[in-house]
Each structure stands twice: as structure tokens, then as C-alpha cells.
């Protein structure tokens, strides 16, 4: 295996997998956190470790980040045994004095995180979901009507940004249909998903299936579907045009349509081709259906260009579409890459669904959070994509009932 990888940030050494994980945590990382231990509860159980700051000013109960280096996934938390200097009976003396092991697995399982989420957060309300669709579609048509009415140079740039953002909001709702978090009715999810995604030139089933692969393999060097590192061998095999388009700004911000047609470098297939290795045989009919819907939308846009004129269609639809693409690429990158400290990528037995999911990041987009349906609350979504978007913030805001101490490995953006 090559020892170098390429991300959108450039050529970087691939983090090594050590038989025994490294220990220690940098002062730069710990300086951004404020720790406090809660007092013992009446039952005598040990306190949980809490952290304040980092995301929208809230305090978080269970807060876990991606390990800097990974140990064996076979290591299990056993009763009375310390992990990362923290035992089930409380904070160990090694915590914060060099005994903290950033490579050890989290001292809890996925089922324990699930149990800490209130039951009502799992409830899917199709009427509430549809209300967001009606709201967003109404805004889209309202913005287009207003821009066409004023038709002034000062209005168009504002319209392009606003409408591109709303296209992105439509994508997120279709994304929820793909996950099944929109409703429990598969036919409703499919119909709404096709209408929303086809309207913004996304093949619903083709993308839904590849996105499922991404969720099931996130953080895996070879198996992840999007924004994964490239080995040095694959990178050097790319032609100059592909390297430029993939790794030189602003071109990566416009990569999504190319990804739909040809996937990422090093992978083959297309989201439009039912015979692509992205899909299994019983999914081909779904892929054909989505490709037909995409083609119908493309044909409609061509017809409207003849009716309204190509320049008007470019202003009303074309430029907002590319703003949407930039939103999608930017948000996807922000959720799956760090800043100064890059997120780890795993391979082989070192990877697990929990570890992969915990390498995603939450992001705060301010006033945009509500517009794009809290997609910034991303870590819990990666772990449990069945939770409707309107319950995501609540699912991570309620203090955890897990008695095992939480482990903090990095700065607040890594927290869930």
C-alpha cells in the first residue's frame, strides 16, 4: 500500500496504522476544551465527562471525536478496566497527564448511543416532512417570479444566491427521502425524492444507492464513496486535466456533476448506468427509472430555453444550479475533512461503522441551518440516518444517560 494519499488539500502522508496506538494529546487541542465532571448522582454512579463550547453554544452530554491513531477494533471495554485513563468508576489519574490514549476505541457501543436518544426523535411524520417540501417549493417559485418581474441587474445576483441555496435545500429533502427518514412509506419517499432530485438534475436512485455506500463505508480508505484520499499510485496515473479539475480551486467546488457521470478518480461507473458496478442487478430497474426522470427534466429545460430564451433560462435556472453544486461540494467537504488536524482514515480490520461515523464533523451555518434542514448536525446523522432532520438537533442536545465516561480526543468541531 502506498504511504502517501491525496486529498483536496494536496499530497499528504497517509496516517500509519500502529499495532499499539500512540498516546498523548497536544496542548493545542486541549486548550480549546473546557472540562468539568458532574457530581455523583444519587444512585452512586460515576459522573459523565462533559464539554462546553464549540457548536452553537450548547453543552453536550456524550461527546466523542475521531481517534488520531487507531488501535485494534477487537479491544472491548470491560467492567472495571480503564480505557484512555478513564475507568467505569470515574476519571482515572492518567487523564490529562500523558495517560490519555487517543488511539483506543470509544468506551461505548453504537447501541448505547442509540439508547440515549429520546424515542420520539425516531418518529417520522410524513405531514411534517411534506410541509417542508411545500415551503421550499413555494419559496423557489416565489423567488423565480420575483426575479423575472423585476429583471434588474441589482436583483439577479441576490436571486442567484438565494435560489441556489433553495435548490440545495430541495436536495437535502430528497436526501432524506433516500435515507427513509422522510417517511416510513417507501413509495412516498420514492415519488417525492424523484420530484425533488430530478428538478435539480440529480438521478434519485443512482445517487441514493451510492450515498448509502458512502454511509456504510465512511472513513474507509478504499471503500468510501466520496471525498476519500487517493493513493500516490492513483494520483500519479491521473492526467493533467483531471488533476487540475480535482485539486485546484475553484474546480473541486464544481465537481458534483462530473462525479455523477464518472465517480471519483480511481473508481469506475456512472450513476446513470444501470450496469455500473455501483449497483447490484435488482437495483437496475430503479436506476433506469431515475435516469428517465433526469432525462425528462433535461428535456423540459431545453424546451423552456426555446420558449423563454437561453439567456433567461441561464439566469433563472442555470446559475442557481451551479450555486447549488457549490453548496453541495462545500458542505460535503466541510463535514468530512478537518482543518489543521486532518481526520483519520481507516483500512481493513481497523475500520468499523462506529469509528467511521465518528470521523464526520458538525458545522454551524448560522441562519442557513434552518434553510438547509440542519444538515450541519452531521455526526448523529451519519450514525443514525433514519432520524428525521427536524429531530437531529434535539437528538444531540439532550444530555446522555450513558454512565460510561465520555472521551474527548480533539477540539470542538469533532464533537457530536
Amino acid at each position: 500500500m502506498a504511504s502517501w494519499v491525496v486529498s483536496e488539500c494536496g499530497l499528504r502522508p497517509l496516517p500509519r496504522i500502529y499495532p499499539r496506538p500512540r498516546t498523548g494529546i497536544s496542548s493545542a487541542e486541549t486548550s480549546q476544551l473546557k472540562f468539568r465532571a458532574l457530581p455523583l448522582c444519587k444512585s452512586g454512579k460515576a459522573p459523565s465527562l462533559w464539554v462546553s463550547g464549540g457548536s452553537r453554544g450548547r453543552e453536550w452530554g456524550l461527546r466523542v471525536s475521531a481517534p488520531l491513531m487507531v488501535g485494534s477494533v477487537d479491544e472491548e471495554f470491560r467492567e472495571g478496566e480503564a480505557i484512555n485513563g478513564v475507568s467505569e468508576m470515574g476519571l482515572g489519574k492518567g487523564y490529562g497527564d500523558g495517560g490519555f490514549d487517543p488511539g483506543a476505541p470509544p468506551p461505548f457501543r453504537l447501541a448505547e448511543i442509540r439508547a440515549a436518544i429520546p424515542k420520539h426523535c425516531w418518529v417520522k411524520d410524513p405531514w411534517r416532512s411534506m410541509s417542508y417540501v411545500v415551503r421550499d417549493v413555494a419559496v423557489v417559485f416565489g423567488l423565480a417570479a420575483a426575479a423575472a418581474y423585476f429583471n434588474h441587474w441589482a436583483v439577479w445576483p441576490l436571486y442567484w444566491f438565494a435560489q441556489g441555496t433553495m435548490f440545495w435545500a430541495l436536495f437535502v429533502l430528497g436526501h432524506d427521502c433516500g435515507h427513509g427518514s422522510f417517511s416510513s412509506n417507501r413509495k412516498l419517499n420514492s415519488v417525492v425524492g424523484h420530484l425533488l432530485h430530478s428538478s435539480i438534475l440529480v438521478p434519485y436512485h443512482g445517487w441514493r444507492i451510492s450515498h448509502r455506500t458512502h454511509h456504510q463505508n465512511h472513513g474507509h480508505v478504499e471503500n468510501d464513496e466520496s471525498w476519500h484520499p487517493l493513493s500516490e499510485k492513483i494520483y500519479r496515473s491521473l492526467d493533467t486535466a483531471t488533476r487540475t479539475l480535482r485539486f485546484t480551486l475553484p474546480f473541486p467546488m464544481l465537481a458534483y456533476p462530473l462525479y455523477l457521470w464518472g465517480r471519483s478518480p480511481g473508481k469506475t461507473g456512472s450513476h446513470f448506468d444501470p450496469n455500473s458496478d455501483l449497483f447490484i442487478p435488482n437495483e437496475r430497474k430503479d436506476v433506469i427509472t431515475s435516469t428517465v426522470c433526469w432525462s425528462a427534466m433535461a428535456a423540459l429545460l431545453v424546451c423552456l430555453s426555446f420558449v423563454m430564451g437561453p439567456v433567461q433560462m441561464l439566469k433563472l435556472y442555470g446559475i442557481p444550479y451551479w450555486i447549488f453544486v457549490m453548496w453541495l461540494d462545500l458542505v460535503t467537504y466541510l463535514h468530512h475533512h478537518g482543518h489543521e488536524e486532518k481526520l483519520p482514515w481507516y483500512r481493513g480490520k481497523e475500520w468499523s461503522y462506529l469509528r467511521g461515523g465518528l470521523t464526520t464533523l458538525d458545522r454551524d451555518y448560522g441562519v442557513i441551518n434552518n434553510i438547509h434542514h440542519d444538515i450541519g448536525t452531521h455526526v448523529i446523522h451519519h450514525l443514525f440516518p433514519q432520524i428525521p432532520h427536524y429531530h437531529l438537533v434535539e437528538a444531540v442536545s439532550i444530555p446522555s444517560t450513558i454512565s460510561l465516561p465520555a472521551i474527548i480526543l480533539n477540539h470542538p468541531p469533532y464533537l457530536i
Side-chain angles (χ1 to χ4, degrees):
M1 178 66 66
S3 60
W4 290 79
V5 296
V6 176
S7 73
E8 274 61 28
C9 294
L11 189 66
R12 299 175 59 87
L14 185 66
R16 292 180 58 191
I17 305 300
Y18 292 88
R20 293 294 301 170
R22 290 180 176 179
T23 59
I25 186 167
S26 69
S27 59
E29 292 160 346
T30 55
S31 65
Q32 301 183 53
L33 291 175
K34 298 179 182 179
F35 296 96
R36 64 184 177 90
L38 298 181
L40 287 175
C41 58
K42 294 181 180 179
S43 64
K45 292 183 178 180
S48 296
L49 183 66
W50 283 48
V51 60
S52 63
S55 180
R56 305 187 195 176
R58 289 196 295 265
E59 291 186 325
W60 307 85
L62 176 65
R63 292 296 173 265
V64 183
S65 78
L68 299 179
M69 292 295 174
V70 295
S72 170
V73 297
D74 296 329
E75 298 176 46
E76 295 288 345
F77 184 87
R78 292 182 291 276
E79 183 174 358
E81 181 177 343
I83 288 186
N84 280 339
V86 183
S87 72
E88 189 180 17
M89 299 306 296
L91 300 178
K93 65 180 181 179
Y95 186 83
D97 62 3
F100 190 89
D101 185 352
F108 49 81
R109 298 177 179 85
L110 192 66
E112 294 173 286
I113 304 178
R114 177 189 292 271
I117 300 173
K119 292 183 178 179
H120 69 269
C121 289
W122 302 91
V123 177
K124 307 166 189 177
D125 184 349
W127 291 105
R128 184 172 182 180
S129 297
M130 282 300 302
S131 71
Y132 287 103
V133 174
V134 172
R135 181 195 76 175
D136 289 0
V137 171
V139 172
V140 165
F141 279 99
L143 287 172
Y149 175 78
F150 289 105
N151 195 22
H152 191 273
W153 66 266
V155 173
W156 285 112
L158 299 176
Y159 166 77
W160 293 332
F161 177 80
Q163 192 70 298
T165 303
M166 291 310 303
F167 281 12
W168 163 236
L170 294 181
F171 175 88
V172 175
L173 291 178
H175 153 274
D176 288 356
C177 292
H179 279 302
S181 60
F182 187 86
S183 77
S184 297
N185 188 315
R186 295 183 64 181
K187 289 185 178 180
L188 177 62
N189 293 338
S190 182
V191 170
V192 175
H194 272 100
L195 290 173
L196 293 173
H197 274 190
S198 298
S199 70
I200 50 176
L201 295 178
V202 175
Y204 172 70
H205 279 308
W207 179 85
R208 173 186 66 81
I209 294 168
S210 73
H211 188 65
R212 179 190 66 197
T213 302
H214 162 64
H215 268 258
Q216 292 175 342
N217 296 278
H218 179 260
H220 195 292
V221 173
E222 288 86 17
N223 297 338
D224 199 354
E225 177 59 28
S226 57
W227 292 102
H228 59 87
L230 300 182
S231 67
E232 183 182 21
K233 179 180 179 181
I234 293 177
Y235 176 75
R236 297 194 183 283
S237 70
L238 301 177
D239 57 66
T240 303
T242 302
R243 287 191 197 180
T244 302
L245 291 173
R246 187 65 177 172
F247 301 109
T248 305
L249 287 174
F251 301 114
M253 298 284 290
L254 307 172
Y256 183 66
L258 299 177
Y259 163 72
L260 291 177
W261 284 102
R263 299 178 72 189
S264 301
K267 296 183 182 291
T268 60
S270 169
H271 291 75
F272 300 92
D273 181 7
N275 297 312
S276 170
D277 58 7
L278 268 170
F279 316 117
I280 58 178
N282 64 2
E283 294 171 334
R284 290 173 180 169
K285 183 177 179 181
D286 289 338
V287 175
I288 293 173
T289 299
S290 296
T291 300
V292 169
C293 291
W294 184 95
S295 301
M297 180 62 191
L300 175 62
L301 292 174
V302 171
C303 292
L304 289 175
S305 297
F306 282 107
V307 173
M308 305 173 64
V311 174
Q312 187 73 349
M313 277 303 298
L314 177 66
K315 292 191 293 185
L316 284 173
Y317 186 92
I319 297 179
Y321 169 79
W322 286 107
I323 299 296
F324 146 66
V325 168
M326 295 176 69
W327 263 116
L328 192 155
D329 285 328
L330 174 64
V331 169
T332 302
Y333 182 85
L334 288 176
H335 288 166
H336 299 91
H337 290 263
H339 287 298
E340 296 160 357
E341 291 293 336
K342 308 309 292 181
L343 297 177
W345 290 81
Y346 308 135
R347 57 162 58 88
K349 67 178 183 178
E350 302 296 341
W351 179 89
S352 71
Y353 179 84
L354 177 57
R355 280 187 168 184
L358 291 177
T359 63
T360 57
L361 302 173
D362 282 359
R363 301 291 186 182
D364 188 354
Y365 298 94
V367 296
I368 305 295
N369 286 324
N370 180 263
I371 296 175
H372 67 186
H373 310 293
D374 288 312
I375 195 65
T377 310
H378 203 70
V379 181
I380 197 69
H381 164 71
H382 245 274
L383 294 177
F384 305 108
Q386 308 88 350
I387 298 178
H389 75 266
Y390 41 82
H391 289 319
L392 289 174
V393 173
E394 183 181 9
V396 297
S397 298
I398 297 177
S400 169
T401 58
I402 298 178
S403 61
L404 297 178
I407 292 179
I408 311 299
L409 298 178
N410 266 310
H411 49 78
Y414 289 76
L415 308 180
I416 63 172

